[in-house]
Amino acid sequence: MMIRESLLAACLGVCVASCGMPVIGGSRAPEESTWNADGVWQRQAGDPPVYVPKGYSGSADESQGSFVTDKRDKKRFFIPSGGAGGISEAVLRNDAYSNSGGRP
């Protein structure tokens, strides 16, 4: 039993070291080029980053909309009230949930 636990710990250590991100909940967030292939979101400054709908020019604060946070890497998606760029608020929210590992 000790050998199996040691091998599991070693494999987990290699996985964390090779992917460059901590493993949280057994998975890691995919690269932006994968989840944002259609270019719906644009990154704003910040660490962790905040993403707003492409073409949105308002402020990304709670008085203008709401946020969806990715629990894996803490990036945040800002969903403006009423939507933006011809995309409805509901579609943006669903896309943000999809890109952040699901609903809270």
Side-chain angles (χ1 to χ4, degrees):
M1 188 72 139
M2 277 303 259
I3 294 173
R4 187 181 315 187
E5 291 171 357
S6 296
L7 286 173
L8 180 60
C11 289
L12 182 60
V14 169
C15 175
V16 170
S18 66
C19 68
M21 292 185 69
V23 175
I24 300 171
S27 65
R28 68 180 195 126
E31 298 295 322
E32 182 178 346
S33 60
T34 301
W35 62 260
N36 197 22
D38 295 329
V40 172
W41 302 96
Q42 62 187 15
R43 183 178 178 156
Q44 290 189 328
D47 186 28
V50 172
Y51 290 87
V52 298
K54 188 171 184 172
Y56 178 72
S57 59
S59 62
D61 62 55
E62 301 222 346
S63 69
Q64 302 296 316
S66 59
F67 289 92
V68 171
T69 302
D70 189 326
K71 292 180 181 178
R72 300 167 295 186
D73 63 2
K74 306 299 182 212
K75 71 179 167 279
R76 298 185 326 148
F77 295 92
F78 177 70
I79 294 59
S81 297
I87 303 173
S88 73
E89 181 179 349
V91 169
L92 289 171
R93 184 172 313 286
N94 285 335
D95 193 56
Y97 282 133
S98 174
N99 294 329
S100 64
R103 294 189 179 272

